[in-house]
């Protein structure tokens, strides 16, 4: 029990309704899906633009959660739990966190800026944790929700806090300042991120600086405009490459391996080396340097710790593993809060009920060792982990706290025993502190493929799903299309995420797609949009639901249903209202009714049709005629068959353009994957897929020399050519070659020259400082799939679905 949680909840203005006022509480949650929720959880039912957690309270009560902060008590829950009724649950969470923060008195570093916050936070944690018990924001928890959740993780053993604060519009920072209450402020790089939320740059800077209103010192790169914003109560501690008025003057010298910083402070000079050459990393490292100087670290310690800085991986990645395993790669951090996040992610992405966690010693938690590993063991149990492999001296010491656990003293010992350990048909979370070098374990477990990958951002999929959900009227269901391997992005992994977010239906084109999903454990109902009569037996066997679009198909299915003695097997009736592709036409409705009337073998679960022009408002009259015909024919079916089916006609474009025709369900397709036919709506969606490769080789050719088959490109001057290992066998259209298309290297365009080959393409990188092994973006934010489709005179669907399955998919969450 954490008495500070109980005391903090009593401090917020709320009406208590319940029968157990003085209840034991030890954690706070906002995620109804987390397996970590339990009888001592205080659950805040947040209401957002896209979601309302109140609808999950009954489910949570059934799973032993008893304490809720709500804006209203859902019907049927009144006498079943304790409720703190507030006007706004997000505001209540923020007030609760502010009160909780006030119960602790130690230095807190507050970070804000447009870029670099999370990296600086992680580096400061690395640099300071040998001397402090650090509490820091997990991952990128810097939002109006993330900040309070971060602060609530403070416990009695912490003596230094590092929290980041991110904002996207005016009037947000004061709320975060009240929660973090930093004593030391660090302003990182100010860039263009979220510019649209502010009138101008000055307004954005002022808003960000309000985080520091109670700080004893503010650290930033020297800037007179920023200095003018500081209040008289704050001390500026500045650095600069060019202005000697700054408190710390810095010179730099960069070579291929590192950057040497020449530091002049307080009339003393010293040098440090950092293992980075890019400007962003150098600036982020200097922000950390300034904190160390302010904390009075000696030059020797600064030099030794700064040279050990490392690239920060801020994403949880899902990778295909050996022996039908899936690997969740979180191999660069090991602390209690990030473990909780990783275990929730494991549950949302598991491909099997068998779940293994490979876990290193846990550092910088602020808990005594025994107490820490008691809590870790509780997490492992609540998340139904099948097996724990512990690596490290400390976790080995507490091995008996875990069930089905084997431990090793270090990573090398594990690797030497690797061949004796069975990894198959399971989901494996690899989570370790950086010093344990768990990337070697990931490499062992990962299925080996070539270096071209399609990275899928699961956060973006969730965002796009909620974007379209927000357009729906109350109680309208949502079917999400995952046909064609999830529009090229990956079928199962996306289906698993959608199941986690409780969509109502999945849609696929053919039975084998549905069988694959069911075989991997997907429980959601799956509709087969284009079933062949020969697949009916398998459809029944795997409890899939066929779309029936012809009398011939209907009679064949009814015959098989009768032979198998089925009762109320769900089917979906497709009406042709003008698309003229599949479906019952108006002149067949009477025979359809006669065939179905009185039949007990099947149940018409839904009636649907498909709009031909929902994405083109020029043809809105035609779309209306389709909707009118659908209304007429479906109403006739409902009346004469005396049924209550789900009706649906809208696809992605229809959701936005035909709001009044949502009926009982809509079908979300390409929009989920971040593509819209409407240019304004496109700006509001997030990019989901980024196709990446690397530079295999660089050569310089002379004027007059050619590149590729047929000598389609002949250099007019000395030209630097990079070869990329991706070609038309991977799904890149040959029409994208010969100077039509481009890739992005180091954020710069590199034109594709010559013909695209089966497995390779070549680009002109003459003006780009790059080397072999550097990353290459084939598509993502630049170029987008919509841009590529436009240049190729096709549609984004074709670009996405063309990507070969030999291209490895890597799923990640920021």
């Amino acid at each position: 029990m954490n008495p500070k949680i109980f005391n903090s909840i009593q401090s917020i203005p709320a009406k208590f309704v319940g029968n157990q006022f003085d209840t034991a509480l030890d954690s706070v949650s906002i995620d109804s899906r987390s397996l970590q929720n339990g009888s001592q959880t205080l659950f805040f039912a947040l209401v957002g633009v896209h979601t309302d957690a109140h609808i999950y309270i009954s489910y949570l009560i059934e799973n032993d959660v008893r304490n809720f902060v709500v804006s209203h008590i859902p019907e049927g829950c009144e006498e079943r739990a304790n409720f703190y009724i507030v006007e706004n649950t997000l505001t209540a969470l923020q007030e609760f966190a502010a009160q909780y923060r006030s119960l602790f008195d130690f230095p807190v570093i507050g970070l804000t800026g447009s870029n670099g916050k999370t990296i600086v936070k992680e580096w400061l944690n690395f640099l300071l944790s040998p001397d402090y018990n650090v509490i820091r924001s997990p991952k990128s928890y810097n939002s109006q929700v993330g900040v309070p959740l971060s602060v609530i993780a403070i416990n009695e053993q912490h003596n230094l806090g590092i929290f980041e604060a991110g904002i996207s519009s005016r009037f947000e920072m004061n709320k975060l300042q009240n929660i973090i209450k930093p004593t030391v402020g660090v302003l990182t790089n100010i860039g263009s991120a979220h510019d649209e939320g502010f009138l101008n740059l000055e307004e954005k800077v002022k808003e960000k600086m309000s985080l520091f209103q109670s700080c004893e010192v503010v650290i930033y790169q020297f800037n007179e405009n920023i200095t003018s914003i500081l209040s008289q109560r704050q001390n500026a501690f500045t650095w600069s490459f060019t202005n000697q008025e700054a408190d710390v003057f810095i010179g730099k010298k960069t070579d291929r391996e590192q950057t040497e910083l020449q530091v002049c402070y307080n009339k003393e000079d010293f040098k440090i080396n950092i293992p980075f050459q890019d400007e962003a990393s150098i600036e982020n490292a200097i922000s950390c340097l300034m904190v160390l100087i302010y904390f009075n670290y000696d030059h020797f310690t600064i030099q030794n710790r700064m040279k050990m800085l490392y690239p920060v991986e801020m994403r949880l990645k899902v990778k295909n593993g050996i022996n039908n395993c899936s690997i969740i790669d979180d191999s660069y951090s090991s602390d209690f809060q990030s473990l909780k996040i990783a275990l929730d992610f494991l549950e949302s992405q598991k491909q099997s009920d068998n779940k293994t966690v490979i876990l290193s010693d846990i550092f910088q938690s602020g808990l005594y060792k025994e107490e820490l590993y008691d809590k870790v063991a509780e997490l492992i149990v609540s998340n139904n982990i099948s097996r724990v492999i512990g690596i490290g001296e400390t976790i080995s010491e507490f091995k008996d706290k875990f069930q089905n656990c084997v431990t090793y003293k270090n990573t090398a010992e594990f690797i030497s025993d690797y061949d004796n350990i069975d990894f198959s048909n399971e989901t494996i979370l690899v989570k370790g502190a950086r010093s344990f070098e768990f990337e070697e374990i990931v490499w062992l477990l990962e299925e080996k493929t070539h270096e071209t990958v399609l990275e899928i951002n699961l956060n973006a999929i969730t965002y796009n799903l909620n974007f379209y959900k927000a357009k729906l009227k109350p109680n309208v269901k949502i079917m999400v299309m995952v046909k064609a391997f999830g529009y090229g992005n990956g079928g199962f992994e996306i289906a698993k995420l959608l199941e986690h977010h409780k969509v109502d239906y999945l849609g696929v084109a053919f039975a084998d797609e549905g069988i694959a999903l069911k075989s991997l454990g997907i429980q959601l109902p799956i509709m087969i949009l284009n079933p062949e009569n020969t697949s009916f037996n398998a459809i029944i066997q795997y409890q899939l639901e066929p779309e029936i679009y012809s009398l011939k198909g209907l009679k064949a299915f009814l015959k098989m249903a009768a032979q198998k003695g089925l009762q109320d097997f769900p089917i979906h009736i497709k009406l042709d209202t003008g698309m003229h592709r599949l479906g019952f036409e108006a002149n067949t409705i009477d025979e359809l009714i006669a065939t179905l009337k009185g039949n007990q073998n099947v149940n018409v679960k839904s009636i649907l049709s498909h709009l031909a022009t929902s994405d083109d408002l020029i043809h809105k009259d035609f779309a209306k005629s389709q909707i009118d015909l659908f209304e007429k024919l479906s109403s006739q079916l409902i009346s004469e068959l005396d049924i209550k089916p789900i009706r649906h006609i809208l696809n992605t474009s229809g959701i936005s353009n035909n709001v009044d025709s949502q009926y009982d369900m809509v079908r979300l397709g390409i929009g989920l994957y971040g593509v819209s036919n409407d240019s304004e709506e496109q700006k509001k969606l997030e990019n989901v897929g980024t196709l990446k490769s690397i530079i295999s080789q660089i050569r310089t050719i002379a004027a007059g020399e050619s590149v590729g088959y047929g000598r389609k490109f002949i250099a007019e001057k000395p030209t630097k050519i990079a070869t990329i290992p991706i070609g038309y066998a991977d799904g890149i259209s040959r029409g994208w070659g010969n100077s039509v298309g481009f890739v992005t290297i180091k954020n710069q365009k590199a034109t594709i020259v010559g013909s695209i080959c089966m497995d390779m393409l070549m680009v002109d990188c003459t003006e780009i400082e790059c080397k072999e092994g550097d990353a290459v973006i084939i598509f993502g934010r630049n170029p987008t799939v919509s841009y590529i489709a436009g240049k190729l005179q096709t549609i984004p669907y074709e670009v996405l679905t063309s990507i070969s399955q030999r291209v490895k998919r890597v799923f990640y969450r920021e």
Side-chain angles (χ1 to χ4, degrees):
M1 176 181 173
N2 184 343
K4 287 184 169 60
I5 291 180
F6 179 78
N7 292 336
S8 297
I9 191 60
Q10 305 311 317
S11 71
I12 67 171
K15 176 185 176 183
F16 179 80
V17 176
N19 50 23
Q20 191 178 353
F21 178 75
D22 189 6
T23 186
L25 299 171
D26 70 357
S27 64
V28 170
S29 175
I30 62 166
D31 187 353
S32 63
R33 299 156 301 192
S34 176
L35 296 180
Q36 297 155 31
N37 295 325
S39 60
Q40 293 187 312
T41 298
L42 176 64
F43 185 86
F44 283 78
L46 300 187
V47 180
V49 176
H50 306 131
T51 56
D52 183 351
H54 288 80
I55 64 177
Y56 303 119
I57 287 178
S58 181
Y59 162 80
L60 286 163
I61 292 173
E62 291 172 6
N63 285 273
D64 208 29
V65 180
R66 289 291 176 268
N67 300 281
F68 299 89
V69 179
V70 297
S71 58
H72 64 276
I73 301 176
E75 185 177 349
C77 297
E78 294 85 353
E79 309 246 336
R80 300 168 60 197
N82 301 320
F83 296 96
Y84 295 88
I85 305 173
V86 298
E87 186 173 336
N88 182 295
T89 51
L90 174 57
T91 300
L93 175 65
Q94 293 169 338
E95 292 174 347
F96 170 87
Q99 172 61 25
Y100 188 85
R101 163 70 179 91
S102 70
L103 301 177
F104 298 89
D105 183 19
F106 52 71
V108 171
I109 300 171
L111 294 156
T112 193
S114 301
N115 306 297
K117 296 184 294 293
T118 301
I119 292 171
V120 172
K121 177 200 67 188
E122 292 299 319
W123 284 351
L124 283 175
N125 175 67
F126 168 76
L127 294 165
L128 297 170
S129 59
D131 310 302
Y132 295 91
N133 281 330
V134 179
I135 174 69
R136 72 193 192 279
S137 312
K139 301 296 181 183
S140 297
Y141 273 38
N142 59 30
S143 67
Q144 299 290 309
V145 174
V147 167
L149 292 178
S150 301
V151 167
I152 293 166
I154 299 173
N155 65 50
E156 296 288 354
Q157 280 70 53
H158 292 124
N159 56 15
L160 177 68
I162 310 174
F163 298 108
E164 56 176 297
I167 56 172
S168 57
S169 61
R170 292 177 289 172
F171 314 122
E172 290 185 336
M173 189 60 88
N174 279 334
K175 297 175 183 177
L176 302 186
Q177 190 279 333
N178 192 42
I179 298 168
I180 298 173
K181 293 187 176 68
T183 57
V184 175
V186 178
L187 181 67
T188 64
N189 176 273
I190 294 290
S192 60
H194 303 297
D195 274 357
E196 65 277 6
F198 303 92
L199 295 176
N200 49 48
L201 180 61
E202 181 183 5
E203 182 182 68
K204 182 165 76 169
V205 172
K206 284 184 177 179
E207 178 72 17
K208 288 184 178 293
M209 294 293 286
S210 65
L211 174 66
F212 307 137
Q213 57 191 269
S214 60
C215 288
E216 62 194 36
V217 66
V218 181
I219 295 169
Y220 58 95
Q221 186 173 8
F222 184 84
N223 182 301
E224 291 183 351
N225 292 328
I226 293 175
T227 302
S228 68
I229 296 172
L230 291 176
S231 74
Q232 293 180 349
R233 293 179 291 112
Q234 299 161 309
N235 292 317
F237 188 43
T238 63
W239 64 272
S240 179
F241 293 125
T242 59
N243 196 318
Q244 298 202 18
E245 292 183 35
D247 298 293
V248 179
F249 185 75
I250 296 176
K252 61 179 177 176
K253 186 166 56 177
T254 298
D255 60 31
R256 292 179 63 87
E257 301 296 328
Q258 62 183 8
T259 298
E260 180 186 83
L261 300 178
Q262 300 98 33
V263 183
C264 179
Y265 169 61
N266 210 15
K267 297 182 180 180
E268 292 184 4
D269 295 339
F270 64 99
K271 296 178 181 179
I272 64 171
N273 291 318
I274 57 174
F276 305 101
Q277 302 85 36
D278 64 288
E279 292 298 324
S281 295
I282 292 169
E283 288 190 14
N284 291 334
I286 293 172
S287 291
C288 297
L289 166 68
M290 295 291 289
V291 173
L292 294 182
I293 293 173
Y294 181 75
F295 277 36
N296 293 316
Y297 277 81
D298 62 80
H299 299 169
F300 179 78
T301 302
I302 293 173
Q303 290 164 337
N304 278 289
R305 292 188 187 176
M306 293 286 291
K307 70 182 181 183
M308 297 172 65
L309 293 178
Y310 52 86
V312 174
E313 177 57 70
M314 294 183 288
R315 304 183 299 185
L316 287 159
K317 294 182 179 178
V318 183
K319 302 175 178 178
N320 291 329
I322 60 172
N323 304 328
N324 200 34
C325 291
S326 59
I327 313 301
I328 297 176
D329 180 2
D330 193 13
S331 56
Y332 293 97
S333 67
S334 182
D335 60 86
F336 187 71
Q337 284 303 108
S338 66
L339 176 61
K340 293 175 69 174
I341 295 168
L343 287 170
D344 278 339
F345 186 66
L346 167 63
E347 181 62 23
S348 72
Q349 282 298 303
K350 67 177 183 182
Q351 295 192 17
S352 167
D353 286 337
N354 293 323
K355 297 181 289 186
T356 290
V357 174
I358 302 177
L359 183 65
S360 79
D361 288 347
I362 295 179
F363 298 136
Q364 298 114 23
S365 68
L367 293 169
Y368 296 117
K369 286 182 181 179
E370 180 137 12
E371 182 185 1
L372 167 63
Y373 284 94
D374 281 339
K375 284 183 169 292
V376 172
E378 290 173 8
L379 277 184
I380 295 297
V381 169
S382 66
N383 281 271
N384 302 319
I385 301 302
S386 311
R387 174 174 58 165
V388 176
I389 297 175
I391 299 177
E393 298 279 350
T394 307
I395 197 169
S396 296
E397 180 184 344
F398 294 103
K399 172 184 176 180
D400 292 344
K401 293 185 180 293
F402 303 95
Q403 294 181 346
N404 195 17
C405 175
V406 60
T407 60
Y408 299 88
K409 297 296 184 184
N410 52 54
T411 303
E413 187 178 300
F414 166 84
I415 290 174
S416 69
D417 195 41
Y418 172 76
D419 290 337
N420 298 317
I421 310 171
D422 177 37
F423 291 106
S424 60
N425 301 303
E426 58 190 310
T427 303
I428 306 167
L429 169 63
V430 182
K431 182 156 188 61
R434 182 176 180 79
S435 59
F436 283 84
E437 298 180 339
F438 272 16
E439 61 270 21
E440 295 183 31
I441 296 176
V442 173
W443 188 87
L444 285 172
L445 293 170
E446 190 177 1
E447 184 179 58
K448 305 302 184 288
T449 56
H450 65 91
E451 291 154 312
T452 296
V453 299
L454 180 59
E455 291 189 345
I456 310 300
N457 185 338
L458 298 177
N459 296 74
I461 288 179
T462 300
Y463 175 88
N464 295 337
L465 172 67
N466 288 333
F467 173 82
Y468 285 102
K469 273 186 174 180
K471 294 175 177 286
L472 303 182
K473 299 174 183 177
N475 302 317
V476 173
K477 300 179 186 295
I478 189 165
M479 173 187 289
V480 180
M481 311 310 296
V482 291
K483 61 182 180 177
F485 194 52
Y487 288 66
N489 292 284
F492 168 76
E493 292 83 1
I494 292 173
K496 188 66 182 174
L497 180 69
L498 296 171
E499 186 169 64
H500 189 63
H501 286 293
K502 297 180 170 60
V503 304
D504 300 285
Y505 259 90
L506 299 177
V508 298
F510 299 105
D512 55 355
E513 295 176 303
I515 291 169
L517 294 176
K518 286 291 186 181
S519 298
L520 288 168
I522 295 298
Q523 300 296 313
L524 285 175
I526 301 174
M527 190 173 92
I528 311 300
L529 282 83
N530 190 19
E532 298 154 321
N533 291 8
T534 54
S535 69
F536 284 162
N537 189 57
I539 285 172
I540 292 169
Q541 179 184 347
Y542 285 91
Q543 293 295 297
L544 302 168
E545 301 182 15
E547 173 189 288
I548 303 295
Y549 51 82
S550 69
L551 286 166
K552 179 181 177 182
L554 176 61
K555 290 175 180 178
F557 192 83
L558 290 178
K559 180 179 179 181
M560 182 171 290
Q563 290 171 347
K564 292 181 176 292
L566 300 182
Q567 190 77 13
D568 290 331
F569 193 92
I571 64 172
H572 302 262
I573 298 298
K574 176 74 170 286
L575 303 178
D576 182 1
T577 58
M579 181 80 164
H580 296 326
R581 191 171 62 176
L582 293 174
F584 291 93
E585 295 181 285
N587 60 8
T588 63
I589 296 299
D590 289 340
E591 188 174 355
L592 169 63
I593 291 170
T595 305
L596 285 171
K597 204 156 196 173
N599 191 292
Q600 302 298 311
N601 300 119
V602 297
N603 167 33
V604 179
K605 193 68 177 286
S606 84
I607 302 172
L608 67 146
S609 189
H610 194 67
L611 296 178
T613 61
S614 63
D615 61 337
D616 191 345
L617 295 179
I618 294 176
H619 298 291
K620 64 181 180 180
D621 290 340
F622 184 78
K624 185 178 184 304
S625 71
Q626 281 197 264
I627 293 167
D628 290 343
L629 182 57
F630 178 69
E631 173 67 29
K632 176 184 175 183
L633 297 181
S634 61
S635 295
Q636 183 183 353
L637 283 169
I638 290 169
S639 174
E640 297 196 31
L641 292 175
D642 192 23
I643 56 177
K644 295 181 179 179
I646 300 167
R647 289 194 286 179
H648 48 115
I649 191 171
L650 299 186
N651 57 3
T652 296
S653 298
I655 292 171
S656 299
N657 295 334
N658 303 94
V659 177
D660 293 332
S661 302
Q662 292 178 357
Y663 285 98
D664 307 299
M665 186 162 71
V666 297
R667 303 188 300 271
L668 177 60
I670 194 74
L672 182 78
Y673 307 98
V675 178
S676 172
N677 292 304
D678 181 87
S679 59
E680 289 304 310
E681 184 171 272
Q682 181 66 60
K683 296 175 185 176
K684 300 174 184 177
L685 298 177
E686 292 195 358
N687 178 68
V688 168
T690 300
L691 182 59
K692 290 183 174 181
S693 192
I694 64 164
I695 298 175
S696 294
Q697 190 175 46
I698 294 176
R699 74 188 74 237
T700 298
I701 63 172
E705 292 189 314
S706 62
V707 173
Y709 288 116
R711 303 195 73 204
K712 299 290 186 181
F713 173 81
I714 297 177
E716 296 178 354
K717 59 183 180 180
T719 305
K720 189 167 67 171
I721 299 295
T723 300
I724 319 299
I726 185 171
Y728 59 76
D730 300 292
I732 307 302
S733 169
R734 292 185 78 246
W736 190 232
N738 295 315
S739 301
V740 173
F742 68 91
V743 301
T744 302
I745 302 172
K746 300 284 189 178
N747 294 317
Q748 299 176 67
K749 290 184 179 181
T751 301
I752 299 172
V753 295
S755 298
I756 290 175
C757 310
M758 180 180 288
D759 309 299
M760 286 169 279
L761 58 82
M762 289 70 72
V763 302
D764 180 353
C765 61
T766 306
E767 304 300 324
I768 303 173
E769 286 291 329
C770 58
K771 61 184 183 298
E772 292 174 1
D774 280 349
V776 178
I777 305 298
I778 312 300
F779 66 63
R781 289 190 173 90
N782 186 29
T784 66
V785 292
S786 296
Y787 177 86
I788 295 173
K791 289 293 185 181
L792 295 177
Q793 296 186 328
T794 183
I795 56 176
Y797 297 76
E798 184 175 351
V799 177
L800 283 173
T801 58
S802 294
I803 302 306
S804 167
Q805 291 196 38
R806 84 174 185 178
V807 174
K808 179 171 68 173
R809 271 68 174 174
V810 174
F811 299 84
Y812 70 91
R813 188 173 77 179
E814 296 287 0

